[in-house]
Amino acid sequence: PSGDLTHVALFPSAGMGHLVPFLRLAAALLRHHCKLTLITSHPAVSSAESQLISRFVSAFPQITELKFHIVSLDPLVANSDDPFFLQFEAIRRSVHLLTSPLSALSPPLSALVCDVSLISSALVLSATLKIPNYVLFTSSAIMFSLFAYYPFVKMSDPSGDLIHIPAIGSIPKTSLPPPLLVDNSIFNKIFTQDGRRIKELNGVLINAMDAMEGDTVAALNSGKVLDGLPPVVPIGPLLPCEFENPEGKSPIKWLEKLPPRSVVFASFGSRTAASREQIKEIGIGLASSGYKFLWIVKDKVVDKEDKEGLEEVVGEELMEKLEEKGMVLKEWVNQEEILGHRAVGGFVSHCGWNSVMEAALKGVPVLAWPQNGDQMINAGLVAKKGVGMWVEKWGWGHKCVVKGEELGGRIKELMESDVLRARAAELKEEAAKAVAVGGSCDRAIERLIGRWSK
Ligand code: BUP
């Protein structure tokens, strides 16, 4: 088999939105018989991360887990109070500790695939180890084009509210990730400093597929966006795997009893906690939508700090009303399994990139409600591709409160739109072709392994 002689180290950074695609890539490489080392950083920020890694390692005992103890960081030094960004920075600053354990691996490594937040330190590491360095970019291809082009944008340019990216198009400045606009923030540093070093990479892997972003990937590879970019390899949609199934309460039994497309699923990712005021409005919105719902409440940024029960967070009275019409949970669920359930007809999503690709894979139309980060850029793509709607006037979810009544009305619109449903079904078909045996995903992974094994 193709990958027998190839040994790849995968090096994710913090947060489920980064870890999940790395583990899905790992599973794909294992299907092609690659030998893998997974670098895991300790202590992890969230329990969700530690639990997922331990399920992954038990499911694939043939992989080597290289546990790496990072040096902790003073929030003042990092100019951030976001625990995930702090972890990004702490991992970046600890990378040198990996030189010796990685060089001791046998067989020796053929390549390193790291998170985008680790570019500058990982380039030093891969140069010492004399191996190619790839990045798995954990957002969309359009977001990558912004990442590549941003160091060359003059933000003070008074010419307008748009950033023009050659061969790609324009991105409104209001859609830029908010942490990017904070001077000296970790996020800003990664964009402005590491962004300039993309050209030194050997390749960039993106969870992208032709039907969604073929034009963007082609533009990036044509040299028209920026001269000298490394090859951008679309490997998506990355397939969710069995090991992702968490223990505990599963909503699937409840969904089983419900008719096709009768339930709206609302979840806002693992990074942004909603305010108590917004949580109430979401509850009111779901209850007034006229549809059954499955809602995952996110009350704390870091799950380890999430100690209060739903009654406390949502309010007893509202909770009673909600339980008559839907299911409300506060724990980690298997999102892709839910999206793939026939009872689910719509997805109110923050548009984290993994969620967008999962909705595409399962053919579920999206009501985009970006909360932070790259999510407005992803929401713009969802709307442009006709697989969802984005109410731009809602702004950033972490800043403005949307009233329940307004939300309920939009959910109704989402669930009743034949146009969105038909377009989402088309995209699902395209995604199915890409992930079929011998489809574009398989071929992309084969080619990568071929390159690495030389
Ligand atoms: Br919440 C939640 N179960 O309960 P995104 C998320 N997920 O399986 P994010 C679950 O985590 P960033 C849950 O399916 C997706 O694969 C979900 O990644 C899964 O958003 C992943 O969608 C979340 O990219 O991360 O978490 O906000 O902003 O870093 O992309």
Side-chain angles (χ1 to χ4, degrees):
S2 56
D4 273 353
L5 297 171
T6 315
H7 184 183
V8 180
L10 297 179
F11 191 5
S13 192
M16 290 301 266
H18 293 250
L19 180 62
V20 165
F22 265 87
L23 298 187
R24 289 177 183 170
L25 170 64
L29 291 169
L30 289 170
R31 285 196 288 274
H32 290 260
H33 309 280
C34 237
K35 179 164 172 50
L36 289 186
T37 291
L38 177 70
I39 303 168
T40 60
S41 308
H42 298 266
V45 181
S46 61
S47 310
E49 288 162 83
S50 327
Q51 285 163 11
L52 184 65
I53 289 170
S54 94
R55 287 199 300 273
F56 175 81
V57 175
S58 341
F60 299 108
Q62 68 271 44
I63 76 136
T64 306
E65 182 188 2
L66 181 61
K67 291 189 180 177
F68 152 60
H69 294 272
I70 53 173
V71 181
S72 67
L73 197 70
D74 181 343
L76 287 176
V77 178
N79 196 22
S80 175
D81 55 6
D82 179 301
F84 292 92
F85 288 158
L86 283 175
Q87 182 88 342
F88 274 19
E89 187 65 13
I91 298 176
R92 255 159 86 85
R93 290 181 185 214
S94 311
V95 169
H96 60 279
L97 300 173
L98 285 166
T99 314
S100 131
L102 286 181
S103 45
L105 288 173
S106 172
L109 286 175
S110 327
L112 171 68
V113 181
C114 68
D115 188 78
V116 64
S117 62
L118 299 171
I119 292 181
S120 44
S121 40
L123 276 168
V124 177
L125 183 63
S126 56
T128 315
L129 297 169
K130 298 194 176 56
I131 52 171
N133 195 343
Y134 286 70
V135 155
L136 170 60
F137 190 75
T138 54
S139 181
S140 48
I142 178 150
M143 185 64 193
F144 178 72
S145 69
L146 175 71
F147 179 55
Y149 193 66
Y150 190 78
F152 309 99
V153 171
K154 287 190 187 63
M155 281 302 279
S156 53
D157 183 351
S159 66
D161 302 330
L162 299 171
I163 290 181
H164 300 284
I165 304 180
I168 299 285
S170 300
I171 294 180
K173 286 184 181 163
T174 48
S175 287
L176 292 180
L180 188 56
L181 306 174
V182 179
D183 277 346
N184 279 327
S185 68
I186 293 168
F187 199 85
N188 181 287
K189 225 164 57 184
I190 292 169
F191 257 71
T192 46
Q193 294 172 13
D194 291 22
R196 289 182 183 275
R197 303 196 62 184
I198 294 173
K199 292 180 183 180
E200 295 170 54
L201 295 166
N202 296 82
V204 177
L205 319 182
I206 305 189
N207 183 13
M209 63 169 161
D210 276 357
M212 194 97 160
E213 296 201 282
D215 46 355
T216 303
V217 171
L220 284 162
N221 283 329
S222 73
K224 290 181 192 148
V225 179
L226 212 61
D227 204 25
L229 283 181
V232 171
V233 187
I235 54 167
L238 282 170
L239 275 184
C241 306
E242 192 70 15
F243 67 83
E244 292 176 36
N245 232 340
E247 283 159 21
K249 209 162 155 188
S250 162
I252 295 296
K253 270 203 188 119
W254 178 74
L255 288 173
E256 285 299 330
K257 297 190 201 109
L258 299 169
R261 293 191 296 271
S262 60
V263 177
V264 59
F265 173 48
S267 181
F268 305 96
S270 64
R271 288 283 275 112
T272 314
S275 66
R276 291 287 167 92
E277 187 188 1
Q278 184 64 80
I279 288 176
K280 290 224 162 52
E281 294 298 335
I282 296 173
I284 294 168
L286 288 166
S288 69
S289 68
Y291 286 87
K292 291 264 182 203
F293 53 83
L294 170 57
W295 173 27
I296 312 301
V297 175
K298 175 92 180 147
D299 180 47
K300 291 279 186 317
V301 174
V302 173
D303 57 8
K304 291 173 185 166
E305 287 159 18
D306 196 350
K307 303 230 158 62
E308 282 150 313
L310 274 169
E311 269 76 14
E312 239 167 301
V313 175
V314 179
E316 235 169 282
E317 207 179 311
L318 180 56
M319 200 49 209
E320 251 173 52
K321 201 164 138 198
L322 289 170
E323 278 171 334
E324 288 165 19
K325 300 185 179 179
M327 189 171 204
V328 187
L329 294 173
K330 217 158 102 338
E331 55 257 56
W332 193 260
V333 291
N334 185 337
Q335 176 169 299
E336 73 87 20
E337 189 185 21
I338 292 167
L339 286 170
H341 198 282
R342 66 186 205 332
V344 172
F347 182 22
V348 187
S349 170
H350 68 311
C351 288
W353 186 243
N354 298 294
S355 295
V356 170
M357 288 300 280
E358 286 158 21
L361 188 64
K362 303 296 179 182
V364 181
V366 170
L367 170 56
W369 186 4
Q371 305 289 310
N372 210 335
D374 56 347
Q375 297 151 19
M376 270 201 192
I377 289 172
N378 302 340
L381 187 64
V382 163
K384 184 174 153 203
K385 287 284 156 186
V387 291
M389 48 198 259
W390 172 28
V391 189
E392 288 184 47
K393 69 166 191 221
W394 286 357
W396 286 112
H398 77 282
K399 281 191 185 151
C400 325
V401 173
V402 171
K403 286 286 178 197
E405 207 176 303
E406 162 96 15
L407 177 63
R410 297 296 183 166
I411 291 174
K412 214 161 173 299
E413 220 179 290
L414 170 78
M415 297 296 279
E416 283 163 18
S417 169
D418 295 334
V419 179
L420 292 181
R421 190 185 309 148
R423 185 64 197 113
E426 277 171 27
L427 197 61
K428 178 182 173 178
E429 258 178 56
E430 294 295 329
K433 279 187 219 155
V435 297
V437 176
S440 60
C441 295
D442 257 2
R443 293 200 308 271
I445 298 284
E446 282 285 343
R447 277 197 297 272
L448 272 175
I449 295 175
R451 237 180 270 173
W452 291 337
S453 57
K454 276 184 194 141

